[in-house]
Amino acid sequence: MSFSYPIKVTLALLDAANDRDPVVQEQVRKSILTLGNQQPDKVLSMCQDYLLKHPKLVVGHRVVILQTIELVVKSRIDDISYPKIKSVIQLASDEMTKSKEVVPEWQQAASNILVAVGNKYINDIMEEILGKFQPGVLPHFFVVQTLANLSDSNVYGMVPFLNAIMGTMLPMLGMTKQDNMKWVFSSALCRFSESILEYLANLDKAPDPTVRKDTFSSEIYSAYDILFNSWIQSRESKLRLTVAEALGSMSHLMAHDKLEEQLPKLLPTILGLYKKNSEHYIITKSLCQVLEASVNMGSRVLETQIDGLLLALHQQICSPVDFSNPPTVKNHNEVLRCFTILANTFPDRLMVFVLQRLENSNERNRMGSLAVLRHLINSSTSIMETKKLLILASIRQPLADHSNKVKKRVVQVISAMAHHGYLELEGGDLLVRFIIQHCALPDTYHRPPDPEEVTNEALRSMCDNTLHLFTTTVGRLTDVLWPMLLCYLTPNQYASATTPLCKSLILLANKKRAAQEASFIINFNAQGVDTHTYGHDVTDEPSPRLRAFPLSDLKTPWNHTFCLLGSSFLYRCIGVILQQCYNKELVRKQLQEILISTRHNDAIERTGVAMGIGLCASSHLNGTLEKLEEFGKSDAFRKASGIFGLLKDKNDVDVEKMKSTLILCYGYVALHAPEDQLLTRIDSDILQNISKNFNTKHSLSVCLHLFLCVCLSLIHSVGLIAKAISQSVRKQGFLFSRKQELMGVMMVSEYFSLQCFFPQVLYSDTFNALHELLRNVLARDLSPDGLQSVFKSWLSSGQDHERERAVKTTAELLQFYLDNLSVKNLVTFHNLGALVGRLSPRCTDPNPEVRRAAIDCIYRLMYIQLRYEGTDCFFIAQLGLTVFLKLTLFLPLHSLCLQQLSTLLFMLFDGLVDSQSNCSRASSVILNTLLKNRGAGLQDLVPEMLEVLHNRLQVIGEEQVKVAIGQSILILATQHLQTVVNTLVAYPLPYDSWSCEMWMALGADSTLALQIMEMIIEKLNVMVPYVDKKESMLRPGLTKVATSQPLAMTCALREMMLNGQSADAVAYVFPKLFSSLLVRLGSSVGVQLPKDLNSNSIISDCKTTNKMNVINFDVCGVAVEALRILLGRAQLDAVMKPLDQEGAWDKMKDPQQHTTGVTLLSRAMAKHAGPRLPAIVEGLCPSLCNIYECQRITVTAFFSELLNHHVVTELMILDMLMNNMMERITDTCGTVRMLAVRGLGNIAVGSPEKVNKYAKELLAAMSSGMEEKDDPGKLITLEAMSGMSKILLLENSVLASMGFLLLYGFTQRSIVMFCQENDEIRCASIMLLGNLSKFGSGEPVFKDQIHNVLVSLLLHLSDPNPQVVKACKYSMRICAPIVGSEQISAMFQNHLLEEKGLHYGEFINDLTKYLTVFSFLMSFFLSSGLVMLLQDPDPLVRVKAAEAMGHFH
């Protein structure tokens, strides 16, 4: 390979070094480094020349090249020639100081080169640097910084120069005024001091072992004087910290007398920095170095500063540590290091200080003191040896702390003490007890809000781990923990610690048994073994002896809690022991003793005894049942004298409690009895004895409380029996013969409680007295108002007798009113409507007595009305009841005034929710009859009536009444259509289920539904769909907010179409409905609900809607759902099926996929609903000129897909669609233009025979689309390329006659698109190149183009997108003859098949062999291909290209 190729490659890489992607930058550096490793001098020369030839190169680009030089120097410094080293030093020095202003990134990169070279050529570096570090002149910032970095990287090379450097530097310090220069000098002095200290610490390795500390002391002190007396007072916190850091390092190099002299001023100054800076790590580090230097020289002045030091350090140690913030962790560790230094010199004063702080009331102070104590125990073992007893005595105070945070620190201290022999001393057992106590902590039921809070669970887990640690890793504690831990097993307060205790005891026991230690066996009865040492002293209760004990010991008057729970537990233990005992006589004796020793008054002990006896029964069922039956027949249940003198003065109370115990015992016996024996004994031995002991009459005669106690035992026992039986019957059949008897026993208490009688003899007198009272009240005001005042209705009661009494009372009152009525003037009985409305539903009451009384009431009301109107009573009497009632049916319809009518209607509305379904249905019939005959005059009442109907729907359960309400709404709509529609539209959104039912009712009449739909469509087409609002003053941009009325009308259409009876109306207006809803859908995408959604609602109670309903209410979702229902109602199932399968509905709602969803809808309509399209297209065309972009986008997307189908030609709407698409190419909206270009391209698929007719227009449109400048995502270009490919694939296309030169522009533009990040654009551009090749195969210019893009095509064969790979294979096969090599052409034809897999590596290797034969192709490959790919927009391609170029060496 010619040497010019690496030069060309390197230059290309240097050009690409400033790539915008950091990954590409890194790969470029690696590739140049790879080339530099092969030819370091050549690559360094090229980098140097590149920088010199491009003096105005942007800083970022220069930085990358300088960083690359640093990498090559670090990697191959031994192989770089000395002249080149000198030139690199000169270049880096010039780059570093070229600008007097500080440009950190640029100058730091140059400085790093000098530091890298200085690791080997320190003398040459110093010669260059010191030339720019002259006395009396302030040097460049990065000259000083480079010296500091060199002292870090090459200690042995730099220290010999430092004396001279500091001599030159000292006068400069007084000249420095700028903070950044003060900072760099301070930083350099810090680095110099650290280098000198490292040099002195390793003199055996140093080139000059004669160097001493005092060599630098004078210069260091002079610098110290300026830093301490001047610079540390700076207002700049960063400078103060750097100065403090330098002072700390310099303190080790100062003369002892100078340091001793400065300590009284230096230490308070450093401590004062804590208040001035939020960052404390550097301060503490400096303080630690000063303290270390002071202690090392044996300072006497330090003791005078100890109090202030301890206070400041304690304050620091008490600060919370944020483990996610490393500086705070480092500061904490440095503070502890300071305490260690002070402990070595002032142990007594330090310990007194720390231990006193353990008693501080502040939680953080106690935590800090414990942290110091733990650190000192671990780090200063020899010093702490004499302080052990003092520490043990002092630690008792925090043991009683209530804070879990403090307890956590205590546990950490105890863990440290365990490793250093504290727990073996007197008082160590208290620390062990503390750990065990907290192994038994209960859970934290309320999680603490403070994230730093230590929960009980966390503390308990920590103590568990600590106890395990004691057992496994601290060998010296074995004899302390054994047998101490045994004595914590039985006390109740340590019950929750049983698991960790047992784990530790197992480990200890195994360890002692393996070692065959004598102490493994413990005799607790032996003299000298006192369990109270660990048990009784720990708790205020006696420790249980680990030996056999009589049952009478259970009655020892122990601590109350232990008595209740401990005895219950021990009874269960006895049950388990008896379960394993084979001596039946012994079992019987023990059962007898248990039963007579039990405190039956105690519920917990009763339960424990029952459980123990049940456990015993699992092995001794017969003996247990016999013993229980024997105990039930004993004298204890009949006489006052005790059994064997143990039970004395037994009264009725004791007997009932013993029965409770016995009943409970039978339940647990059944639960634990062997399954094969249970069912044979359940009736005769268990249930029969339970029944005998449940003596209700006697229990009630003693005390209700005792009866309740027995009942609870019975219920518990029956539950246990039921559980036992249910498990047994799964394996064998069983007839529960006593089931009914058992249920009767359990229900018997209810029987006694229900024994009550109502005094029937008083009923008649009471009722008569009521009537008399009401008549007297009415007589005082014998008028319609007076009648209304006493009319308190029980008419709708759910109880028959109440309704009957109410109606009969009403009849009595009306008769009294009629008998005593004296009409002097003709007036209106204005209460008639209200009274008739209340009474008329009762005429159909299911109770015959109520019906008769209700008819009587109506009859008397009509009498009263006619009397008020002046009609003769004799005439009424002559009519007879039947004729009179027929007359009354028409009376309300014609003679009631508007007030009476409205009152009647609203009373009937109340009747709709009557408790009796017959009455509610009757109310609905009367209501609809009234509305048909008199509804035309009630326009003003329509909104109020609809609101009442809406409220009634919420509580009506009768389906027939709901249907009748729907009929009522239809009647009102027939008479007052506009009012009904306006009222319902104004209901709160989202519509609740009852509002929806009202709208659905309007769909039941197809004629009426048609009128409403046309009215809504007309309004939807002219209403503003949304408004643009600024959501926040802080956020830019506008938000689309829906307007309420169009949204409500869309909801209304949706609900009406849900009614199947609306099908005829939907079919008639389908094109209009479809067009209107599609446009509405387009207007709803990305639109938000208004915050004041129901501000204009006419229902005052519903202005605040359910928040959950509003959350689920989607503006666009309503339109999509309405459109979906429309297709279903129009019986277009064939259209809906593919839409459902492809998720089109969700895509229509998504702003990013809306056009995709509309395209799927258009496709389905074209395939399955062709005949409906002409009217739909005609309805949609006006929306293309609408001011709303969203509507134009939706309609254009719909039309664009229609052009993809031949049906538009058959329906003769092709020209209309094409003209519209041509007009939309110049639309102001980019998305509309993109869809228009797509539609024009689709004609090649849908109507290929029409392409020649529109050839010129199509070519112009595609050309315009590919040159589109206002196309950020290149989507218009993508559609233009895809459309052009479709057109070029057609046979006999008129484009073929236009010649290649006309299409050459398309070729160039498609090649440019190869590098686009968008997969689809790359795919389309590559496909277009292949399709264009058949027009330019004989053109030399096209051949050059193919050679230029060959590398790009080869790389895209491994594109991550499979469609791009297929497009590459297709185009390379088509273009293969143009390459100029038969072998390469054959390779392309044989291997690059779309559906065939390709082994990319082998293919490239084989192709490379052919390419090397054709030098011109290799030249293109190197000079054009890879270099061009460095400009590819895909970072991955640029990375791979840079990586490939690294191998050309």
Side-chain angles (χ1 to χ4, degrees), residues 687-688 691 737-747:
L687 292 177
Q688 185 174 352
S691 182
S737 59
R738 286 184 174 267
K739 181 178 180 181
Q740 295 300 324
E741 178 185 342
L742 186 61
M743 293 299 294
V745 172
M746 292 188 69
M747 296 294 290

Side-chain angles (χ1 to χ4, degrees), residues 51 348 861 1380:
L51 290 173
D348 294 332
L861 279 173

Side-chain angles (χ1 to χ4, degrees), residues 791-820:
F791 198 85
K792 304 298 182 185
S793 178
W794 287 74
L795 299 174
S796 300
S797 170
Q799 301 294 325
D800 286 357
H801 64 276
E802 289 181 357
R803 294 198 309 280
E804 181 181 340
R805 295 169 190 165
V807 178
K808 287 183 176 181
T809 301
T810 302
E812 288 283 340
L813 289 174
L814 290 175
Q815 186 62 51
F816 175 79
Y817 189 89
L818 181 61
D819 292 343
N820 293 276

Side-chain angles (χ1 to χ4, degrees), residues 419 435 439 460-474 477 481 485 499-505 507-508 511:
H419 287 83
I435 297 294
C439 287
R460 185 175 65 221
S461 175
M462 186 179 184
C463 290
D464 289 352
N465 295 333
T466 303
L467 185 61
H468 182 74
L469 188 73
F470 288 173
T471 310
T472 55
T473 61
V474 188
L477 284 182
L481 299 177
L485 296 186
T499 300
L501 280 170
C502 290
K503 286 181 179 178
S504 295
L505 284 167
L507 290 170
L508 291 169
K511 189 186 299 185

Side-chain angles (χ1 to χ4, degrees), residues 905-939:
L905 287 171
F906 285 100
M907 287 298 105
L908 289 171
F909 288 147
D910 290 341
L912 294 174
V913 294
D914 196 279
S915 60
Q916 305 301 314
S917 57
N918 285 353
C919 299
S920 60
R921 288 196 290 267
S923 297
S924 65
V925 172
I926 299 170
L927 176 64
N928 286 341
T929 304
L930 281 171
L931 290 176
K932 283 180 182 177
N933 289 276
R934 299 288 301 275
L938 299 174
Q939 182 168 356

Side-chain angles (χ1 to χ4, degrees), residues 1041-1329:
V1041 178
T1043 49
S1044 297
Q1045 203 164 10
L1047 179 58
M1049 290 181 175
T1050 310
C1051 294
L1053 283 175
R1054 176 189 65 184
E1055 300 305 327
M1056 287 180 65
M1057 289 188 292
L1058 284 172
N1059 193 322
Q1061 296 176 8
S1062 66
D1064 292 341
V1066 168
Y1068 188 81
V1069 291
F1070 178 81
K1072 290 183 180 179
L1073 263 177
F1074 185 89
S1075 303
S1076 183
L1077 287 176
L1078 183 60
V1079 173
R1080 173 65 193 165
L1081 169 59
S1083 308
S1084 304
V1085 177
V1087 177
Q1088 296 182 5
L1089 287 171
K1091 293 180 180 178
D1092 52 346
L1093 180 60
N1094 294 311
S1095 59
N1096 298 322
S1097 171
I1098 64 169
I1099 301 182
S1100 57
D1101 295 342
C1102 298
K1103 286 190 178 180
T1104 56
T1105 53
N1106 189 316
K1107 288 185 179 180
M1108 287 304 297
N1109 290 339
V1110 173
I1111 289 172
N1112 297 324
F1113 190 49
D1114 178 24
V1115 177
C1116 192
V1118 171
V1120 167
E1121 194 174 350
L1123 189 59
R1124 185 174 185 174
I1125 293 168
L1126 171 65
L1127 295 177
R1129 188 59 63 216
Q1131 299 181 348
L1132 293 176
D1133 295 337
V1135 174
M1136 294 179 66
K1137 185 176 179 181
L1139 295 179
D1140 291 337
Q1141 291 173 345
E1142 297 176 33
W1145 304 112
D1146 289 333
K1147 290 176 181 175
M1148 287 184 215
K1149 292 187 284 187
D1150 185 354
Q1152 304 301 320
Q1153 302 185 77
H1154 173 68
T1155 55
T1156 306
V1158 174
T1159 299
L1160 294 171
L1161 173 63
S1162 179
R1163 183 180 304 160
M1165 291 294 290
K1167 289 181 179 179
H1168 306 292
R1172 300 177 187 258
L1173 288 177
I1176 291 173
V1177 170
E1178 186 177 353
L1180 289 173
C1181 281
S1183 298
L1184 286 173
C1185 302
N1186 206 306
I1187 61 171
Y1188 297 105
E1189 280 186 2
C1190 52
Q1191 294 182 357
R1192 300 202 304 275
I1193 289 171
T1194 302
V1195 176
T1196 307
F1198 189 81
F1199 284 1
S1200 173
E1201 178 59 25
L1202 289 181
L1203 285 167
N1204 210 17
H1205 303 273
H1206 196 265
V1207 68
V1208 297
T1209 302
E1210 298 168 3
L1211 296 171
M1212 295 184 292
I1213 56 174
L1214 176 65
D1215 291 341
M1216 184 192 307
L1217 292 172
M1218 286 297 290
N1219 291 336
N1220 280 302
M1221 293 297 99
M1222 292 292 185
E1223 291 176 3
R1224 290 305 103 206
I1225 285 177
T1226 58
D1227 196 281
T1228 56
C1229 175
T1231 304
V1232 174
R1233 296 199 301 276
M1234 179 270 290
L1235 292 168
V1237 172
R1238 178 190 293 176
L1240 292 173
N1242 284 344
I1243 191 176
V1245 178
S1247 304
E1249 70 278 7
K1250 299 291 183 180
V1251 169
N1252 289 339
K1253 176 181 177 181
Y1254 296 101
K1256 292 182 180 179
E1257 291 85 351
L1258 290 172
L1259 187 60
M1262 300 305 153
S1263 177
S1264 172
M1266 291 186 70
E1267 293 176 352
E1268 179 70 56
K1269 294 181 180 178
D1270 185 16
D1271 184 19
K1274 298 297 180 186
L1275 298 180
I1276 300 175
T1277 304
L1278 169 63
E1279 294 299 339
M1281 289 190 297
S1282 299
M1284 195 65 193
S1285 287
K1286 294 175 186 175
I1287 295 168
L1288 291 173
L1289 287 172
L1290 296 178
E1291 297 291 336
N1292 302 320
S1293 171
V1294 73
L1295 295 174
S1297 64
M1298 295 181 179
F1300 174 74
L1301 292 178
L1302 187 61
L1303 302 175
Y1304 180 66
F1306 285 101
T1307 306
Q1308 289 186 312
R1309 287 192 288 273
S1310 69
I1311 291 172
V1312 171
M1313 296 298 145
F1314 279 19
C1315 298
Q1316 288 294 319
E1317 297 181 10
N1318 188 302
D1319 295 340
E1320 294 181 358
I1321 294 176
R1322 293 202 309 278
C1323 183
S1325 62
I1326 294 169
M1327 287 291 291
L1328 179 58
L1329 177 68

Side-chain angles (χ1 to χ4, degrees), residues 73-85:
V73 169
K74 281 183 175 179
S75 165
R76 300 302 300 273
I77 192 168
D78 294 329
D79 300 322
I80 302 171
S81 65
Y82 183 71
K84 182 52 59 184
I85 286 291

